[in-house]
């Protein structure tokens, strides 16, 4: 079954086994076109927020996959998702809740205060009061395949793999999902971003 094969490839890309990342890129467009329409939202959510990280700590998510696909396959994947995922009913506009992490969900904790400077709450890793409930209320009753937070962070990709453990209260305990949009990658871009933050 195409869905099972995609999930196997996704996991292999995370643990570095088999063909890993390259295998997932090679087969993604073809397999997604074989997935039945009613299963595409679940596959999309699993790839987007499935909390799979590669051995270097980078999130193996749909955004990174789509970005790395050849142009033709990128178009096929996005067209398949668009065709199969139902828009909100009754002509209502849909929305996605995006949230920053540091000094929004929890206080930043590094010594240089690069991640944030709020000291009004404890620095022991606990979320600000009410954050988990607010996220749950904003998501409403979308169901597990569409019900997960999308988090923004300035952390470079190799430093996001520890976020799900810190932010577990924002997601479902039975099938945790969370999309994480990291900051710049690559040594010079990371250094430039850090300098901008420090001297802003």
């Amino acid at each position: 079954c195409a869905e099972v094969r995609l999930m196997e490839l996704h996991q292999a890309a995370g643990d570095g086994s088999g063909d890993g990342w390259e295998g997932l890129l090679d087969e993604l467009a073809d397999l997604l076109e074989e997935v039945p329409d009613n299963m595409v939202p679940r596959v999309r959510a699993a790839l987007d927020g499935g909390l799979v990280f590669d051995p270097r700590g980078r999130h193996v998510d749909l955004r990174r996959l789509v970005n790395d696909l050849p142009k033709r396959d990128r178009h096929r994947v996005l067209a398949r998702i668009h065709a199969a995922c139902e828009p909100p009913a009754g002509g209502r506009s849909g929305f996605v809740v995006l949230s920053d992490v540091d000094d929004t969900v929890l206080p930043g904790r590094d010594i240089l205060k690069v991640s944030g400077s709020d000291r009004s709450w404890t620095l022991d890793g606990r979320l600000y009061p009410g954050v988990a409930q607010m996220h749950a209320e904003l998501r409403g009753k979308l169901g597990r395949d569409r019900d997960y937070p999308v988090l923004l962070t300035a952390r470079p990709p190799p430093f996001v793999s520890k976020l799900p453990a810190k932010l577990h209260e924002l997601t479902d305990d039975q099938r945790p999902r969370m999309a994480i949009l990291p900051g710049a990658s690559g040594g010079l871009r990371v250094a430039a971003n850090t300098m901008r933050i420090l001297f802003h």
Side-chain angles (χ1 to χ4, degrees):
C1 149
E3 181 184 4
V4 171
R5 176 68 179 150
L6 273 169
M7 295 304 97
E8 289 171 351
L9 286 167
H10 190 219
Q11 197 57 53
D15 61 27
S17 64
D19 292 333
W21 181 253
E22 294 302 320
L24 184 53
L25 287 175
D26 288 345
E27 295 187 49
L28 177 62
D30 291 335
L31 288 171
L32 195 59
E33 287 176 348
E34 292 176 28
V35 172
D37 283 356
N38 66 328
M39 302 300 276
V40 171
R42 184 167 76 184
V43 170
R44 183 203 57 80
L47 291 172
D48 188 42
L51 301 178
V52 174
F53 296 89
D54 70 16
R56 292 173 50 193
R58 296 173 302 175
H59 198 189
V60 180
D61 66 346
L62 188 60
R63 288 166 192 80
R64 189 169 152 223
L65 282 165
V66 167
N67 187 58
D68 285 3
L69 283 170
K71 186 176 182 179
R72 182 177 183 280
D73 286 346
R74 180 182 311 135
H75 176 74
R76 289 172 61 202
V77 166
L78 293 174
R80 178 70 180 118
I81 291 169
H82 183 266
C85 294
E86 268 185 54
R92 294 176 38 194
S93 297
F95 68 93
V96 174
V97 177
L98 302 173
S99 177
D100 191 15
V101 174
D102 297 305
D103 281 1
T104 303
V105 173
L106 50 76
R109 294 182 2 171
D110 63 282
I111 294 171
L112 295 176
K113 298 183 180 177
V114 170
S115 62
S117 59
D118 181 29
R119 298 299 180 254
S120 67
W121 182 242
T122 66
L123 298 179
D124 61 2
R126 283 187 285 164
L127 304 184
Y128 287 120
V131 166
Q133 181 63 33
M134 180 185 72
H135 274 255
E137 293 293 329
L138 289 171
R139 288 191 313 266
K141 297 179 181 179
L142 295 175
R144 285 190 189 145
D145 296 328
R146 296 173 62 188
D147 178 7
Y148 56 91
V150 179
L151 302 172
L152 310 171
T153 179
R155 291 173 174 89
F159 299 128
V160 300
S161 63
K162 291 186 170 69
L163 281 178
K166 289 181 180 181
L167 306 173
H168 70 276
E169 293 174 59
L170 297 181
T171 188
D172 185 308
D173 287 335
Q174 293 176 348
R175 188 165 57 191
R177 290 216 168 117
M178 183 180 302
I180 302 171
L181 304 177
S185 61
L188 291 177
R189 287 192 287 178
V190 171
N193 278 359
T194 303
M195 296 305 285
R196 263 190 237 110
I197 292 167
L198 286 172
F199 298 108
H200 183 272

